């Protein structure tokens, strides 16, 4: 085995300084310098160039039972990242390779080579592997092909439609044969993008209120499929509009992530009387589907039929602000932080 020298011994990282109650703020994070351990056999050192911030991270800031362990206090959170391998003690991952992994929130990461996926950036930018070719793109794809499958002619509704999942989901629904695709977002700039770039037939501005009324006008004959990233009033309005035997993919509930009291929710009796299927989805349980998905989605990106947007913050020190921004809907498309 060829061993390469480890040129960097210190790095910077963002650590979780305190657990928030309600909406997090800058005070819940701290920027720190850390010593990197020497590489063990089978490990690589990655210089991170991009990192992702995502709404689900808010739940991991709480020390509460969940499908995934909470972030540790005094340690960097985890999250998707892309970087360059600068040292390697693995024959499987060479120095100079671009890899994706889940040790974001830091400028350098030491990890087992088995946890680093070499990605091909010859035809698509590296950032695509954090957005349309990453977990958010995979979520949109599986939600509409497996969790709540779209059928020819369906009317499909997607909430948070200008976000990382939603901006891809509308276009996938169209490819799957949906007859009408409706999205909701916050503000006129985002709703305009739903129509001009992201494949939607109708756009609802949730900031204008009366979601049931707006949805009724956009889908007067009802909904067949709903991809829910918001929960709360959005789910309530969608259930009211669902046709019998409709399908709902529950992939997020951002409306309640910062709540300190129960969030008003839907009357699920309507789901029972309409014989609806509501199925949850945790994308980390489907990571084995990445090869299938990437092989399907790359041609869409290359031929221009899958259009994406990114919102970029510059520098590791801006990562907390980017994260707070994605919780508040400041992003169009995927929220990213450029590290170097």
């Amino acid at each position: 085995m060829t061993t390469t020298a480890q040129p960097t011994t210190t790095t910077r990282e963002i650590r979780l300084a305190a657990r928030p109650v309600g909406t997090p703020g800058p005070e819940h994070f701290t920027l720190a310098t850390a010593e990197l351990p020497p590489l063990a056999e089978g490990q690589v050192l990655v210089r991170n160039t991009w990192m992702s911030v995502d709404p689900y991270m808010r739940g991991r800031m709480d020390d509460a039972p969940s499908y995934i362990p909470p972030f540790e206090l005094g340690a960097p959170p985890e999250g998707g990242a892309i970087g360059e391998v600068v040292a390697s003690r693995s024959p499987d991952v060479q120095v100079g390779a671009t890899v994706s992994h889940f040790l974001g929130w830091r400028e350098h990461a030491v990890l087992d080579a088995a946890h680093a996926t070499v990605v091909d950036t010859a035809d698509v930018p590296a950032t695509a592997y954090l957005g349309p070719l990453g977990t958010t793109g995979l979520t949109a794809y599986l939600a509409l092909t497996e969790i709540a499958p779209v059928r020819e002619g369906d009317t499909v509704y997607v909430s948070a439609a200008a976000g990382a999942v939603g901006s891809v989901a509308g276009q996938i629904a169209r490819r799957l044969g949906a007859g009408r695709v409706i999205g909701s977002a916050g503000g006129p700039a985002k709703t305009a993008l739903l129509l001009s770039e992201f494949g939607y037939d109708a756009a609802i501005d949730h900031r204008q209120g009366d979601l049931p009324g707006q949805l009724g006008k956009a889908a007067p004959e009802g909904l067949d499929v709903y991809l829910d990233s918001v929960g709360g009033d959005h789910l309530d309005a969608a259930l009211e509009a669902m046709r019998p035997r409709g399908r709902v993919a529950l992939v997020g509930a951002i409306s309640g992530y910062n709540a300190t009291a129960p969030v008003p929710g839907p009357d699920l009796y309507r789901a029972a009387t309409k014989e609806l299927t509501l199925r949850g989805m945790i994308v980390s349980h489907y990571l084995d589907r990445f090869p299938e998905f990437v092989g399907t989605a790359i041609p869409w990106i290359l031929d221009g039929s899958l259009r994406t947007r990114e919102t970029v913050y510059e520098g590791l020190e801006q990562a907390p602000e980017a994260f707070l921004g994605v919780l508040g809907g400041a992003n169009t498309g995927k929220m990213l932080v450029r590290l170097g």
Side-chain angles (χ1 to χ4, degrees), residues 34-82:
E35 295 292 325
L36 291 168
L39 293 184
E41 285 194 10
Q43 290 189 320
V44 295
L45 171 65
V46 180
R47 178 179 63 83
N48 287 337
T49 53
W50 294 90
M51 59 165 278
S52 171
V53 290
D54 298 282
Y56 81 89
M57 295 176 177
R58 174 61 188 86
R60 296 193 67 188
M61 296 177 73
D62 296 331
D63 188 4
S66 181
Y67 67 92
I68 193 170
F71 293 140
E72 294 183 17
L73 280 176
E78 297 174 350
I82 295 287

Side-chain angles (χ1 to χ4, degrees), residues 105-305:
W105 295 86
R106 65 205 87 190
E107 292 179 329
H108 295 82
V110 172
L111 66 154
D112 292 345
H115 296 154
T117 301
V118 177
V119 297
D120 184 356
T121 59
D123 295 318
V124 297
T127 54
Y129 291 95
L130 294 176
L133 300 180
T135 54
T136 49
L138 181 66
T139 297
Y141 176 74
L142 289 177
L144 297 178
T145 58
E146 185 166 319
I147 306 302
V150 174
R151 299 168 185 160
E152 192 76 25
D154 276 350
T155 297
V156 178
Y157 172 45
V158 178
S159 58
V165 173
S167 60
V168 173
Q171 298 171 76
I172 290 177
R174 174 72 63 219
R175 278 190 168 271
L176 294 173
R180 184 166 175 78
V181 186
I182 303 160
S184 61
K190 288 186 177 181
T191 53
L193 281 175
L194 299 188
L195 302 175
S196 64
E197 291 195 26
F198 298 148
Y200 287 89
D201 297 300
I204 293 170
D205 183 352
H206 66 78
R207 294 179 182 173
Q208 298 300 313
D210 188 21
L211 277 173
Q214 290 194 69
L215 193 54
K217 290 179 181 178
E221 296 182 2
L223 304 173
D224 299 294
V225 172
Y226 173 45
L227 195 164
D228 182 31
S229 294
V230 177
D233 57 349
H234 286 66
L235 180 57
D236 191 50
L239 289 180
E240 177 66 28
M242 294 297 293
R243 292 173 177 162
R245 299 190 178 179
R247 286 88 64 203
V248 178
L250 305 173
V251 304
I254 195 171
S255 65
Y257 288 167
N258 293 325
T260 57
V263 176
D267 175 8
L268 292 181
Y269 179 70
R270 285 174 296 181
T273 58
K274 295 183 180 183
E275 298 181 287
L276 306 181
T277 297
L278 288 79
R279 182 176 173 187
M281 176 182 171
I282 298 171
V283 71
S284 59
H285 294 168
Y286 295 85
L287 298 184
D288 63 322
R289 304 289 292 277
F290 258 127
E292 167 200 337
F293 167 64
V294 170
T296 299
I298 283 181
W300 297 347
I301 295 174
L302 295 180
D303 68 18
S305 62

Side-chain angles (χ1 to χ4, degrees), residues 12 14 31 107 314-322 337-339:
R12 298 192 308 162
I14 298 291
L31 178 64
E107 292 179 329
E314 299 286 345
L316 178 68
E317 57 277 357
Q318 294 298 311
E321 183 177 347
V337 180
R338 191 199 317 264
L339 301 181

